[in-house]
Amino acid sequence: MRDGIFISYAHADRAWLAQLQQVLQALPGAVRISAWDDTRLAPGSRWQGEIKEALDTAAAAVLLLSPAFFASEFIAAHELPEVLAAAAKGEVVILPLVLAPCAHAAVTSTWQSVHDPAAPLEALDEAGRDRAWQRLLASLNDVAAVIGDEAHIGAEVIRLGNDIAASADVAHVLDKMARAKVDPAFDSDEAKRENTMVFLEGQRCQAMATRLMEEMKRPDLSPFRSKAVVRILEQVSRDEELALRRATELTQEFANQAMAMLQQAKGPAAGGQ
């Protein structure tokens, strides 16, 4: 589910990003809020996770193409492959802007540029650049026009799920679950590993439910975020029910095994009398 705008650019082109950010102020508020670039990363934030989240929830990707863009190892390894793969599946609309002469054909040979790539933005006069910006806004408005409520809710489910997974209590349980899955101490006793995992799954559900109830109390909760809270709570409830059912089954299996062992132990003694 996608409802955002992802902006991919090289840091050497920050001046162009600043112009783009000003242009985006002309978009409707709901669309403008969902536009994302890495200047939104706060100090101490989980920056790789936030970039991945922005990529996963983007309905449009604005690419500021330049020599620096194509020279960026991070863009080449992470952002561009993700964007191109999503566009190939019809999930993302790619909107390239050619800032300066560069190997733009790597993108524009497949995806139509917002303007004539033979006339980079740096070579255009003010009127020419304004026409390019207006074409970009028109394209973004077209993308926004087909984004329905379900896409907004689905995107919020992704964002909220990531926020919850990163919260201290939930992250602590997830870390314990990850370690239990590969703990060599359980290699000779998979039943014990499963018991531990079921117990931790219950803890995960409780921690998530607590975090979601706190989220529901926020005074600034948007309608889409509120619906995302409800959907994740419903899933957590189903997960908790499954964990409880499995815990009951494991308890019964243990009781049956204990009873069988007891009967085995009694058998020879009874025969000797």
Side-chain angles (χ1 to χ4, degrees):
M1 294 295 186
R2 298 170 176 272
D3 68 350
I5 302 165
F6 183 83
I7 301 170
S8 182
Y9 76 104
H11 287 177
D13 299 319
R14 283 191 182 93
W16 287 106
L17 174 68
Q19 289 188 45
L20 173 58
Q21 289 170 330
Q22 290 183 340
V23 169
L24 292 179
Q25 297 301 309
L27 284 170
V31 178
R32 185 171 67 250
I33 289 171
S34 63
W36 192 96
D37 62 72
D38 67 4
T39 62
R40 292 178 60 172
L41 292 172
S45 64
R46 48 186 180 89
W47 66 272
Q48 287 183 314
E50 288 194 33
I51 292 174
K52 182 66 165 59
E53 177 181 283
L55 285 164
D56 289 344
T57 57
V62 179
L63 309 183
L64 301 185
L65 306 182
S66 70
F69 178 94
F70 288 107
S72 168
E73 292 183 5
F74 187 84
I75 290 174
H78 300 282
E79 295 183 358
L80 193 55
E82 291 271 356
V83 167
L84 295 178
K89 292 184 288 186
E91 297 174 348
V92 173
V93 175
I94 292 182
L95 299 170
L97 287 161
V98 180
L99 306 181
C102 60
H104 61 78
V107 174
T108 58
S109 62
T110 303
W111 309 104
Q112 180 63 44
S113 176
V114 173
H115 61 102
D116 182 358
L121 291 188
E122 72 170 18
L124 298 177
D125 58 19
E126 186 175 347
R129 291 179 188 176
D130 186 61
R131 285 192 294 272
W133 293 130
Q134 291 306 312
R135 288 192 66 183
L136 174 65
L137 288 176
S139 296
L140 290 173
N141 274 309
D142 289 344
V143 172
V146 297
I147 297 174
D149 287 356
E150 278 302 311
H152 285 299
I153 296 169
E156 278 304 308
V157 166
I158 293 173
R159 296 181 187 113
L160 178 56
N162 289 339
D163 289 345
I164 291 172
S167 63
D169 290 347
V170 177
H172 179 62
V173 177
L174 291 175
D175 179 62
K176 288 197 292 185
M177 293 178 76
R179 285 188 282 113
K181 285 181 181 178
V182 297
D183 191 338
F186 294 130
D187 288 350
S188 59
D189 192 346
E190 287 299 325
K192 188 174 182 180
R193 190 196 305 273
E194 186 177 7
N195 271 290
T196 300
M197 293 300 296
V198 170
F199 172 74
L200 291 173
E201 174 67 1
Q203 283 194 334
R204 180 190 71 86
C205 290
Q206 291 175 12
M208 288 187 67
T210 299
R211 177 68 179 79
L212 287 163
M213 295 308 296
E214 292 173 355
E215 181 77 12
M216 189 65 83
K217 296 176 184 177
R218 285 178 50 179
D220 60 342
L221 198 66
S222 71
F224 295 134
R225 186 82 165 187
S226 178
K227 290 179 180 178
V229 170
V230 172
R231 290 195 181 179
I232 297 180
L233 268 174
E234 290 172 345
Q235 183 60 55
V236 168
S237 178
R238 290 191 290 269
D239 291 345
E240 190 169 27
E241 183 179 347
L242 288 172
L244 180 59
R245 186 183 308 162
R246 185 56 183 151
T248 301
E249 292 172 352
L250 289 170
T251 300
Q252 186 60 53
E253 288 175 10
F254 177 77
N256 292 342
Q257 290 171 2
M259 182 62 69
M261 291 173 65
L262 182 61
Q263 291 299 328
Q264 273 188 338
K266 285 183 176 179
Q273 294 175 355

